Amino acid sequence: MNSGNEPIIIRRAEAFDVPKLLEIYRPYVEHTAVSFEYETPSLEEFLGRVETILRKYPYLVAVSGKELIGYAYASEFKNRKAYDWSVETSIYVKQGQIGKGCGKALYQALEDILKRQHILNLNACIAYTEKEDQYADHNSMNFHKRMGYRLVGRFEKCGYKFGRWYDMIWMEKFLSPHPAQPEQIIPFGKLHC
């Protein structure tokens, strides 16, 4: 499950978690092409991102013992009313904790909440390269496949980082059937979790 015998607890992200979230995110920015950001955001900017997402969507953290080991969230897919039932999902797991159950636990909890919000489509935007290198591998794509996502699109050589071009793939998962008239979305803060 994880490195110790401690269970993985999933809970809502809080403002006091932001420094730890940023510690988890920093290596993805500075040493990988997983994030296409060139510079790690400031603490204030990252806090703003978390607060903005929590207005409508879940932002979850995974804790084992007293250690924050990963986080996942949903965000707006596109800023148009017709896209209300679709979200973009994101997940980051602390280095050394990958493959130990944290990601699966986070995504299962995220999906449970999104279903209760009446979200239907999950979309994941993933950096991709045909040949894995020291900055990009196929771990995220394979994780999403295991979680039930399918490949729906690929943009070639759309991201440039570390002196190389990277592709971007989109993967999608339907949480439930698409009714003729979908139910209205319930903002995360109005759910009774």
Side-chain angles (χ1 to χ4, degrees):
M1 182 183 257
N2 61 357
S3 59
N5 295 326
E6 298 286 342
I8 296 173
I9 306 298
I10 308 296
R11 63 167 172 77
R12 178 187 187 271
E14 301 294 343
F16 62 79
D17 293 317
V18 171
K20 293 290 185 189
L21 299 178
L22 201 51
E23 281 179 30
I24 291 171
Y25 185 55
R26 182 180 308 280
Y28 288 100
V29 174
E30 295 178 359
H31 305 294
T32 78
V34 170
S35 169
F36 277 5
E37 289 196 83
Y38 275 27
E39 296 179 15
T40 304
S42 69
L43 195 59
E44 295 75 23
E45 181 182 348
F46 206 80
L47 174 60
R49 293 179 187 185
V50 173
E51 290 173 339
T52 297
I53 288 168
L54 281 170
R55 288 185 194 126
K56 188 171 182 181
Y57 301 110
Y59 204 120
L60 305 177
V61 300
V63 179
S64 178
K66 295 182 179 181
E67 183 182 13
L68 201 153
I69 59 171
Y71 64 95
Y73 59 91
S75 57
E76 186 174 69
F77 178 62
K78 288 282 185 184
N79 185 17
R80 298 286 185 272
K81 183 68 177 160
Y83 290 113
D84 275 1
W85 295 269
S86 297
V87 296
E88 183 176 345
T89 57
S90 298
I91 185 166
Y92 293 93
V93 175
K94 186 175 182 177
Q95 303 297 308
Q97 293 293 327
I98 295 168
K100 298 180 180 180
C102 173
K104 183 177 180 181
L106 279 164
Y107 256 27
Q108 287 174 336
L110 189 68
E111 288 180 15
D112 177 60
I113 294 167
L114 292 169
K115 280 182 190 176
R116 289 189 280 145
Q117 287 187 269
H118 305 140
I119 298 296
L120 301 174
N121 290 29
L122 307 181
N123 301 285
C125 183
I126 301 166
Y128 180 78
T129 181
E130 285 287 337
K131 186 177 178 187
E132 295 178 290
D133 62 30
Q134 72 263 39
Y135 304 113
D137 56 32
H138 296 158
N139 287 346
S140 185
M141 177 186 68
N142 292 332
F143 167 77
H144 283 84
K145 277 184 186 176
R146 286 191 303 276
M147 295 304 296
Y149 286 68
R150 66 186 178 93
L151 180 67
V152 292
R154 179 173 169 183
F155 297 93
E156 295 184 9
K157 296 178 175 48
C158 63
Y160 184 79
K161 191 171 179 182
F162 303 121
R164 303 157 195 230
W165 288 102
Y166 291 98
D167 297 351
M168 184 61 63
I169 60 171
W170 280 96
M171 298 183 78
E172 177 181 66
K173 180 178 182 176
F174 294 160
L175 284 179
S176 32
H178 290 67
Q181 180 64 47
E183 296 185 69
Q184 286 299 309
I185 300 303
I186 301 170
F188 177 60
K190 293 190 177 180
L191 282 180
H192 299 288
C193 296

